[in-house]
Amino acid sequence: MPLPRTRGTALRHRLAELRGPSVPPKALDARALAALAANPGCDRRALLDGAGVDKTVLAGALGSPSGFGQSQFAFMRGNAFEARVKADGGAELLRLVHERLDPGAEPPVSGTVPDLTAVGPEGRAARTALALREATAVGGWTLLDHPMLALDVAGSPAFLEPDAVVVHPDGSWTVVEIKSFPMLDGSADPAKVGAAARQSAVYVLALEEVAGRLGATPATPASAEAEAEASQGRSAQGGAPVPVVRHRILLVCPKDFSNLPTASAVDIRKQRSVTRRQLARLTRVEDIADALPAGTCFAPDLPAAELTAAVESVPATYAPECLAACELAFHCRERSRADGAVTSLGRSLRAELGGLTTVGDVLAAAHGETGDPSDPAVAALRRAAELRAEALRDREAREVQDGLPAPMGQEVTRCR
């Protein structure tokens, strides 16, 4: 007699049906989880990522190939820069961590770099947890080069590999993110820094799970007093070191136009909170799946019309930022423009327009055909339309006075 199906087993079976019986799941990585946090209202991305659908293959099958990804040149340049940062046992990297995040600690004269080699991602994650436990107990500076972390996502483990994790002499842990984009005069592109912060927030959450499994209570200090208390590295019960996952990560980039490393401390508390909420939302992927028509499947070998209907049955929230983070962005942009959705013009504009969700609604409200005049958005649109009409009339009058031919559209208007 088969065992009764549990809620978790039923969800995995349902997601496998959506993915396609013969299609293996695509594992979630930190970039995908960070992109989820950047667009938390998109049910389409939440469901496809939760089901393990390969969105690159899906975009190609829909006829909108993805332009998302990193060039081979950028990939090689990033690897070369990372190797330089971690040379000599990570001496330069530990110096930057000490300088930017922990100047009161003992300078890192020599750091420990444990071997994290193991078989499979589960073995590497277990080896990383053991290395973190040992480094926290011993004290001193320890650099974990490409550790493997496991984060529970919708009941399944997602294996994540940050560039580095540093254990401080007080037993606290810091995530290090190494990027190849430059830091000019001490600052970098805000959009790229934001993406790195969201990605690092995923690693911080995974480290907090590791600390919890080690028997410690993970904490993120929110004040100077909490930071000072945590930096003592002692618990109130037995005086044992307490791992503290720091809320500031170290972002390492090339300095100006050179290949020399420089670094900046980035506070990721906001990104961490948003990511945690979004991951909690993923546990309700079953609710999104239950709302789909019976027989919905995203297998890439389905006919294009059937596959398009399946994708369109899941609500999406497109914004221009999706072009830098989602493989389905081109497909969603085309549909958003066809529907006249104002979100295709940007989230900030969408927020300003209130209940006006389509371009047609905006134009009708501006021309006085629809809309409540007491609505601030409608009033602003009508005022803008009046100013534009007035400017066009003044321009036409000046052109007639100067003997210049009026634009074709205005000539037709006058003839009428």
Side-chain angles (χ1 to χ4, degrees):
M1 179 177 179
L3 294 175
R5 182 179 294 179
T6 64
R7 178 177 175 85
T9 304
L11 175 59
R12 286 194 293 271
H13 181 73
R14 174 69 172 128
L15 296 181
E17 291 177 343
L18 291 173
R19 188 173 60 247
S22 61
V23 180
K26 178 178 172 60
L28 283 171
D29 57 14
R31 288 181 181 270
L33 295 175
L36 277 173
N39 192 5
C42 187
D43 287 350
R44 182 176 297 170
R45 170 137 202 173
L47 179 65
L48 294 176
D49 281 345
V53 175
D54 190 330
K55 296 192 297 299
T56 300
V57 176
L58 180 61
L62 291 171
S64 302
S66 170
F68 174 72
Q70 190 177 36
S71 69
Q72 188 66 23
F73 174 75
F75 185 76
M76 295 174 59
R77 181 181 60 188
N79 284 343
F81 177 69
E82 181 177 338
R84 176 165 187 165
V85 171
K86 295 178 179 178
D88 300 326
E92 179 64 14
L93 180 55
L94 292 176
R95 184 191 68 79
L96 290 171
V97 173
H98 174 263
E99 176 185 314
R100 303 292 184 181
L101 294 175
D102 202 358
E106 189 73 18
V109 178
S110 61
T112 303
V113 184
D115 182 13
L116 303 179
T117 304
V119 178
E122 294 88 352
R124 290 185 58 197
R127 182 68 188 89
T128 296
L130 178 61
L132 286 168
R133 180 197 293 272
E134 293 173 348
T136 302
V138 172
W141 292 96
T142 301
L143 171 64
L144 277 68
D145 185 8
H146 282 287
M148 182 65 70
L149 307 174
L151 179 64
D152 182 76
V153 179
S156 301
F159 293 99
L160 313 171
E161 188 176 357
D163 293 329
V165 171
V166 172
V167 180
H168 297 244
D170 61 10
S172 59
W173 304 345
T174 290
V175 170
V176 177
E177 189 70 9
I178 302 174
K179 296 295 185 183
S180 59
F181 56 80
M183 194 173 292
L184 306 175
D185 295 329
S187 62
D189 184 346
K192 295 181 179 180
V193 172
R198 289 190 295 271
Q199 187 173 341
S200 298
V202 178
Y203 299 139
V204 167
L205 291 174
L207 276 177
E208 289 178 348
E209 285 199 3
V210 174
R213 289 194 295 269
L214 291 180
T217 302
T220 303
S223 64
E225 293 78 8
E227 181 86 15
E229 180 181 352
S231 65
Q232 295 175 4
R234 301 290 172 181
S235 66
Q237 289 79 13
V242 177
V244 174
V245 184
R246 292 177 174 243
H247 65 255
R248 293 195 301 165
I249 63 103
L250 189 73
L251 177 62
V252 183
C253 300
K255 183 178 181 180
D256 297 327
F257 298 101
S258 69
N259 202 33
L260 299 175
T262 187
S264 176
V266 180
D267 193 321
I268 52 91
R269 278 177 292 184
K270 177 180 178 181
Q271 291 83 357
R272 170 185 170 274
S273 298
V274 172
T275 304
R276 181 182 288 280
R277 288 196 300 270
Q278 181 63 8
L279 292 182
R281 179 176 175 272
L282 274 183
T283 61
R284 299 195 297 273
V285 164
E286 188 173 13
D287 298 333
I288 304 175
D290 289 342
L292 299 180
T296 299
C297 181
F298 305 110
D301 56 352
L302 291 175
E306 184 178 344
L307 187 60
T308 300
V311 171
E312 292 304 313
S313 66
V314 189
T317 305
Y318 170 77
E321 294 83 356
C322 296
L323 293 172
C326 183
E327 296 86 343
L328 284 178
F330 290 146
H331 173 81
C332 295
R333 180 179 65 176
E334 180 182 350
R335 296 292 172 168
S336 181
R337 288 177 173 176
D339 295 339
V342 296
T343 50
S344 62
L345 305 176
R347 290 196 182 100
S348 58
L349 179 61
R350 172 67 185 88
E352 294 288 341
L353 293 174
L356 304 174
T357 58
T358 67
V359 175
D361 293 340
V362 172
L363 294 177
H367 296 152
E369 299 170 1
T370 60
D372 183 2
S374 62
D375 186 338
V378 174
L381 287 169
R382 291 182 180 177
R383 178 57 178 161
E386 292 173 359
L387 293 174
R388 179 179 183 275
E390 181 180 347
L392 289 177
R393 286 194 299 270
D394 292 344
R395 177 187 173 187
E396 180 182 356
R398 287 195 302 270
E399 289 176 345
V400 171
Q401 182 179 359
D402 296 338
L404 298 175
M408 183 178 297
Q410 296 179 25
E411 252 181 19
V412 172
T413 302
R414 286 203 301 275
C415 291
R416 289 177 182 174

